Amino acid sequence: MSGARPTAEERRRTAGLGGRWAEAKASDSDMNAERVAGPALAALLLASVLSAALLAPGDSPEPDLDQRKHVALKMDQALLLIHNELLGTNLAVYWKSEYCYHCLYQFLVNVSYSGKSGKPSIAATPLSTQHGSILQINDSLEEKEICRLEYKFGEFGNYSVLVKHTSNGLGEITCDLVVNKNPVDSNLPVTIAFLIGLALIVALSLLRLLMSLYDFNNWISKAINSRETDRLINSDLGSPNREDPLSAVCQPEARHLSTLPHRLRSVDTFRGFVFIMGSSIFLSMTSLLQRGCSKFRLLGKITWRSFLLIYIGIFIVNPNYCIGPLSWDKIRIPGVLQRLGMTYFVVAVLELLFTKSVPENYASERTYSSLQDIFSSWPQWLLILMLESVWLGLTFLLPVPGCPTGYLGPGGIGDLGKYSNCTGGAAGYIDHLFLGDDHLYQHPSSSVLYHTEVAYDPEGILGTINSIMMAFLGAQAGKILLYYKDQTKSILIRFTAWCCILGIISVALTKASANDGFIPINKNLWSISYVTTLSSFAFFIFLVLYPVVDVKGLWSGAPFIYLGMNSILVYVGHEVFANYFPFQWKLEDKESHKEHLTQNIVATALWVLIAYILYKKRIFWKI
């Protein structure tokens, strides 16, 4: 450079370099994101390998075995020895979990009386360690309580309860708990896996920071180096064959449609859940309407997609395959995909009927109300509230034979065993009435703790109403993202408001308690309090992730984005191949937490790897 002033042409070329350099930097940023994705996936696989090494079978504690009584312990069990030192008194030992609400005591073991002083009679029994336990020891003959103990037993621990007379000569009876062998720390495998994962996240974050600093330094050096500047000016960045970045500005419709998939990609991380499905329904519906797709054609696509979800749920991933060939006499009709299919159909049809295409400059028009995202959906809100009224009416007013009206309990031994066959109340009754016992889930989670004996399906008919409600709340989040696009403050304020409003509703419905509220949180029932609570947390997650992902671009969503883009394939693949190698293998000790955890970590890492490979090859299974 000789010091002469640059010509007008050179100034134009140099000015153009700034925009082109910004494009190049954005491209480099995308390439860096792709480069980070590979190490992130490798790190996840490394975590599985390290966890497998640290948690591999070897010194796993062997279950305690009482050689005289031959009581072998299973996972989440402890050995309890009852020492009866009372002469001429037989004992009956009963147990219940602290987690079991208003439950009957369950019989554990009888202990015969001691024949000689100083030589107690001993009975051994396994005991659950998942929750705190309440032991009640009764006199078998007089059927009166001798003592009661509350204690949190540890896995594979060995305990003794010494039932004897006190030494004060007053004839009082005492029950002393003695730890013969300390339990193992059943949380240790999870803690190790968590620390490994946390360390990897920190390492990857530091790596990404260093890469960004390198790019910044590289940009500085290129900006200072005049030869590099000249090379960039004459490179392909200035070639007329390259797409002009202003072309999107010249085509407003193309620009608007091109930005929507990126927004979808950021929220699509958790697409398999009902809430985010509602968000995706609205965003995709609006985009398709803007492209000029007819509503009749969209209705056909919605119907077909819903049918495929229900078909796959009934005939491909049906749990009845575990007991033999599928038979219509015993086939389970409700299910996860069936629930998603019905929910998707209702919410998508509602949005199709009432949603209008949103103009690109909608957010900049100040004449609209600040609550336009709600007012524009008043027909959908009216129908959703009518559906919710149906749920409330059937749940609390429908007479159920042999059960109290409005019963929401688990049945079985709950409520002191008074309503043992009333599991699920009206929800269970409707499923039995319309679907039949043989077409419902035969092993609900309530059978473990509450010992229920009737079939109950957590994805039943009545609960679908509340899943529709939850998906519609997710659609509301999508409307906020679209109606207030590029207005970060407005979006965050609305996410905060919805989070607080739904949280307050949950507190009011539950009275801030687990079981004593008007409508307790219940996943098996999909109670309205369960929906408002989860939706409140969902809006909170949006509140946190939106500035991180969409505004600042600090996280691409990896590795969850790979799973989200092929969520149906991963779900169906997991259900079909869950019992096949390498996702599952024969465990050396099937009662070991660490072996089960290792197996699950490896299986999860493999599905992430499969999803990543499909993502890189642009293979997406969509229905």
Side-chain angles (χ1 to χ4, degrees), residues 262-263 266 481 484-492 495 542-555:
H262 292 284
R263 178 65 50 80
S266 68
L481 288 172
Y484 304 97
K485 183 168 67 73
D486 300 328
Q487 298 184 40
T488 303
K489 183 178 179 181
S490 297
I491 291 175
L492 295 181
F495 284 165
F542 263 98
L543 180 65
V544 173
L545 291 185
Y546 177 75
V548 172
V549 176
D550 284 275
V551 179
K552 299 295 184 181
L554 300 178
W555 181 40

Side-chain angles (χ1 to χ4, degrees), residues 278-279 373-374 377 381 471-481 498 539:
S279 302
D373 54 311
I374 299 177
S377 304
W381 273 109
F472 183 72
L473 290 172
Q476 190 65 41
K479 293 171 185 177
I480 293 172
L481 288 172
W498 275 108
F539 275 106

